[in-house]
Amino acid sequence: SSPSILSRLGKIRIPFPLLLLGAAALGYAALAPALGFYWDDWQILYLQGLAGPDGFWDYFAHDRPLSAWTYILASNLLGSSPLPWHLFSLALRCLTALGLWWAFRGIWPERKPLAGWSALLFVIYPGFGQQYVAIVYGHFYLLIAAFLASLSFTLLAVRRPQWFWPFTGMALALSAVNLFFWEYYFLL
């Protein structure tokens, strides 16, 4: 007798990044077409419409000047329609979950399932109740992903001494992105 469809499906290997993307799509993407803009998203949209991309430089100059880059690039790509922003924010949430997965795999290389389940929980966890604030939190997801990638490169630098300097350089660059694109830069 031939194997059943279910037994064949059980043998299919799905790359983990696609699994995360699929879980996020099932959990959030179905709602994206019904969502609009909320809270601080309106400030960014107003600024984009009033002053164009150059307005971001003045708006962010006093507390996080480098943040203007992410908003300029994203607003030029995504425009002023809510759906692209919500899908972009969801994609960045997946990128952040991948960063978490990568960092946990570096911290606990022998506990790969724990890293996978942690990243999967991160991407679908409903306790973060502001996913609908797409413009602002998309930016934050990008910075958190940079932080997690910097941790991963730090671990790689320690574990692979022959690549210490390239990995350390990547870790420092991503750490700088994380630090200087937040408003915490103002305290420096």
Side-chain angles (χ1 to χ4, degrees):
S1 97
S2 65
S4 72
I5 292 174
L6 288 177
S7 67
R8 281 188 255 157
L9 284 176
K11 295 178 184 178
I12 295 174
R13 296 281 182 213
I14 299 172
F16 189 72
L18 289 179
L19 180 67
L20 279 179
L21 190 60
L26 286 173
Y28 293 98
L31 300 174
L35 296 173
F37 292 117
Y38 307 93
W39 293 8
D40 292 348
D41 288 351
W42 287 109
Q43 294 173 16
I44 302 300
L45 285 172
Y46 178 73
L47 184 62
Q48 177 185 348
L50 181 69
D54 291 337
F56 291 114
W57 293 115
D58 293 333
Y59 183 75
F60 290 110
H62 72 285
D63 61 351
R64 50 187 179 218
L66 295 178
S67 288
W69 279 109
T70 57
Y71 289 108
I72 288 169
L73 293 173
S75 65
N76 282 335
L77 271 170
L78 304 171
S80 59
S81 175
L83 184 58
W85 282 102
H86 284 283
L87 295 177
F88 181 66
S89 178
L90 191 56
L92 291 175
R93 184 177 180 139
C94 289
L95 181 69
T96 304
L98 279 175
L100 181 70
W101 175 62
W102 189 26
F104 279 3
R105 284 181 55 150
I107 295 168
W108 300 297
E110 70 286 350
R111 306 208 51 203
K112 289 180 183 176
L114 175 65
W117 285 109
S118 298
L120 191 61
L121 179 62
F122 178 88
V123 86
I124 62 169
Y125 181 65
F128 175 67
Q130 296 178 353
Q131 178 67 36
Y132 62 89
V133 186
I135 296 176
V136 172
Y137 283 105
H139 171 77
F140 292 139
Y141 281 133
L142 184 62
L143 301 181
I144 295 167
F147 168 73
L148 292 167
S150 77
L151 290 180
S152 298
F153 277 113
T154 300
L155 291 166
L156 285 172
V158 170
R159 293 201 173 124
R160 297 187 181 157
Q162 70 275 22
W163 290 92
F164 178 81
W165 289 112
F167 287 149
T168 299
M170 287 298 298
L172 289 172
L174 289 163
S175 183
V177 165
N178 173 58
L179 176 64
F180 294 118
F181 280 62
W182 291 94
E183 60 267 20
Y184 306 128
Y185 170 80
F186 182 73
L187 295 176
L188 294 177

